[in-house]
């Protein structure tokens, strides 16, 4: 039985437009939305409609309203906000398991689909990691390492996988930073993924997947050891 479609309310339309503008980076995380009267004129809606739309996005986690400060963008999308809420309740090991699932699949697909341009981008990340390692610059090393993983995921050429991983970037940064803070003697050079790069370069998807699985298993063992101490 075919049901009649329901037309979206004005509140839903305004909320969708605001979310799209945030996703398109018209307003970035940390930005304050324009004054209420300006938005009312832009969207050509009533004050109540705009406030209901904003309230819905606050509830979804995209926006935050502060007395005297206006409305601030807190997440890039509803997916980002949802992931952040769930990750806050997750343990380090649970986060690692999700990383393994995403990165193993991404490595296999990257090995199959990578382009010469992808290889150049991966080499840049590797060199940045080497430079940070030589200087023992933790912040630069973590940023370069995460950029390497994001580049591997991008080389998978699967937009949904890319979006999922992109929304975990902040969480991954915190994860790696927490681990390396707990384990200050962590050897930087072991975090430079030359073998994974070579596997992707040679389009060996089995080796790429095996590298990720082994890398995560070693990391998991270290975390368990540290948590027991």
């Amino acid at each position: 039985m075919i049901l009649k479609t329901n037309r979206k309310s004005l509140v839903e339309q305004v909320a969708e437009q605001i979310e799209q503008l945030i996703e398109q980076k018209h307003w970035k995380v940390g930005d304050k939305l324009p004054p209420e009267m300006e938005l009312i004129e832009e969207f050509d809606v009533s004050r109540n409609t705009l406030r209901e739309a904003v309230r819905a996005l606050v509830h979804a986690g995209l926006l935050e309203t502060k007395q005297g400060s206006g409305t601030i963008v807190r997440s890039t999308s509803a997916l980002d906000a949802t992931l952040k809420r769930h990750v806050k309740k997750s343990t380090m090991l649970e986060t690692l398991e999700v990383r393994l699932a995403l990165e193993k699949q991404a490595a296999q697909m990257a090995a199959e689909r990578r382009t010469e341009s992808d290889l150049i981008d991966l080499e840049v990340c590797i060199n940045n990691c080497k430079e940070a390692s030589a200087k023992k610059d933790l912040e630069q090393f973590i940023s370069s390492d995460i950029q390497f993983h994001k580049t591997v995921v991008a080389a998978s050429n699967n937009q949904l996988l890319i979006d999922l991983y992109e929304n975990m970037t902040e969480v991954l940064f915190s994860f790696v930073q927490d681990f390396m803070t707990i384990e200050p003697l962590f050897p930087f050079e072991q975090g430079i993924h030359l073998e994974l790069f070579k596997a992707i370069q040679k389009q060996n998807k089995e080796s790429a997947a095996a590298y990720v699985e082994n890398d995560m298993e070693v990391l998991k063992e270290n975390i368990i050891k540290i948590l027991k101490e």
Side-chain angles (χ1 to χ4, degrees), residues 1-113:
M1 179 180 177
I2 299 176
L3 300 175
K4 292 182 179 179
T5 57
N6 293 318
R7 296 183 63 184
K8 290 181 180 177
S9 68
L10 273 176
V11 171
E12 291 174 317
Q13 291 179 51
V14 173
E16 280 189 4
Q17 286 187 62
I18 292 174
E19 185 172 358
Q20 287 172 6
L21 287 167
I22 292 171
E23 289 178 348
Q24 293 164 4
K25 301 190 187 307
H26 180 76
W27 296 312
K28 299 177 182 177
V29 173
D31 286 353
K32 184 165 71 172
L33 262 57
E36 186 176 73
M37 287 307 300
E38 186 177 325
L39 291 174
I40 288 171
E41 291 180 12
E42 287 287 334
F43 291 116
D44 192 23
V45 292
S46 68
R47 177 181 277 104
N48 285 339
T49 296
L50 177 67
R51 288 182 176 177
E52 283 296 321
V54 169
R55 192 174 295 118
L57 294 176
V58 168
H59 181 72
L62 270 76
L63 301 176
E64 180 183 5
T65 54
K66 289 186 176 181
Q67 191 68 33
S69 300
T71 303
I72 312 295
V73 178
R74 284 300 174 218
S75 295
T76 55
S77 68
L79 174 61
D80 180 42
T82 302
L83 279 173
K84 284 177 180 176
R85 285 199 299 272
H86 283 291
V87 169
K88 283 180 181 178
K89 302 174 185 177
S90 301
T91 65
M92 197 176 277
L93 288 176
E94 287 174 331
T95 304
L96 185 64
E97 289 168 350
V98 174
R99 280 192 66 182
L100 172 59
L102 293 178
E103 292 184 19
K104 183 178 178 181
Q105 184 62 36
Q108 289 178 299
M109 295 168 74
E112 288 184 301
R113 303 174 181 179

